[in-house]
Structures are given as C-alpha cells and as structure tokens.
Amino acid sequence: PFLILGQVENRGSDDGFLTLSEVLGLGLDADLVVLSACSTGRGKMMEGEGVANFARAFLYAGARSVVVSLWEVASEPAVQFMETFYSGLKAGKSKAEALRTARRVIKEKYPNPFYWAVFILHGEGEASVPATGGVPDPRSRYPRGSSRVAEGGGMKSFTAASTQRVT
C-alpha cells in the first residue's frame, strides 16, 4: 500500500502530522518505505542517540529499507526520479541498483546534483522488492493535504503531502 498524509478532511484527533512516536508504534513488515516529500531525511541530533529522523524510525518500526530526501525536491524531476526508481524495482533490480539507475537517468537530464542526489537509501540495499502487486504511481495527484491509501506490492510508500513536524 501507499499513503499520502495531509490535513484535509481529518477526523477526531488526527492532526495530519505523522510524528516519530507514531511511526515507532506502527509495527511494520515492509521491504521498502519511500518518503518522497521534501526533507524527509532530515532530523534532530539527540545527545547519546545520534540523529532522530523518519528513516531511523521506519527502520525501527520494521521497514527493511527507507528512501528519504535530504532537501527540498523539485516536483517534476522528483516525479521522473520516482518513476524511474519504481520501474527499476518492478523490473527486478535491487533497491540500490534502482536508485543508482534513477540517479543516472535524472543526472543526464538535470546535471545539477540538486535534482539527482536528493534521495538516499537507508537499510538493505541489495535485496529486491517482491513483485507481489503493483508499485505506487508517482504521477498520481491528490490535492495538497489530502489523505489516500491505495493497494500496491511488497513496499510501503508514505508520501507526505503536507508539512511534517518531528517530535
């Protein structure tokens, strides 16, 4: 499955923000989590703990691999990056090889590292994702701040459509 988080039509105590403590309580069994919004790999330095960020939280919660962005992502190049990345996974490439391929393809079109070096992989990189279903369509467009879930394959893609806060 994949999930887009937001603040539109939230009910009850759901404020639309996904916190580290919420992620830590998820109990996932995911081959891959992709956080393709802006700056999802950034975190806060915690004395005695290192950097607390979503990649680490998702790994702790049971994801075997997490892809995050290190800075603001440019919309169209990011969509192209994710299309290439997911196509590589669908073709049976390992997560690391699919990421390398996406970087190379985007680098040919956009030579500035701002566009092709934004996403990094944490966790297992050499394993491929089981082809048990579809992969998320990175071109799917939901209104900013909407929340939707769709069925997919052996990966979970949490794509934040609104500002996230780290707690």
Side-chain angles (χ1 to χ4, degrees):
F2 73 97
L3 171 67
I4 296 178
L5 305 170
Q7 295 175 299
V8 175
E9 299 179 17
N10 292 347
R11 290 172 177 68
S13 63
D14 181 5
D15 63 3
F17 290 100
L18 181 64
T19 65
L20 291 182
S21 58
E22 289 170 330
V23 171
L24 292 170
L26 289 176
L28 299 173
D29 179 22
D31 292 303
L32 177 63
V33 171
V34 177
L35 304 170
S36 60
C38 297
S39 304
T40 56
R42 295 181 65 189
K44 182 177 182 181
M45 185 65 165
M46 306 293 285
E47 188 173 331
E49 293 292 324
V51 177
N53 64 17
F54 280 109
R56 187 171 169 192
F58 275 102
L59 289 169
Y60 180 85
R64 286 174 279 294
S65 304
V66 182
V67 173
V68 294
S69 64
L70 295 176
W71 51 79
E72 299 287 319
V73 297
S75 294
E76 190 55 33
V79 168
Q80 293 170 17
F81 190 104
M82 286 297 151
E83 285 176 332
T84 305
F85 176 67
Y86 286 126
S87 293
L89 294 175
K90 192 172 182 179
K93 291 182 179 182
S94 72
K95 295 168 242 183
E97 182 57 31
L99 191 70
R100 281 190 295 272
T101 300
R103 283 181 177 161
R104 188 177 62 249
V105 167
I106 296 305
K107 188 176 182 179
E108 289 171 6
K109 191 168 186 178
Y110 305 98
N112 188 320
F114 174 82
Y115 299 105
W116 59 265
V118 63
F119 296 106
I120 61 169
L121 175 68
H122 290 267
E124 299 175 4
E126 295 309 314
S128 58
V129 176
T132 58
V135 293
D137 179 1
R139 286 210 172 268
S140 62
R141 304 284 187 200
Y142 296 109
R144 181 172 172 75
S146 66
S147 299
R148 301 286 186 268
V149 178
E151 293 304 314
M155 66 192 98
K156 298 192 183 323
S157 180
F158 294 84
T159 305
S162 65
T163 306
Q164 300 173 351
R165 69 174 177 233
V166 177
T167 59

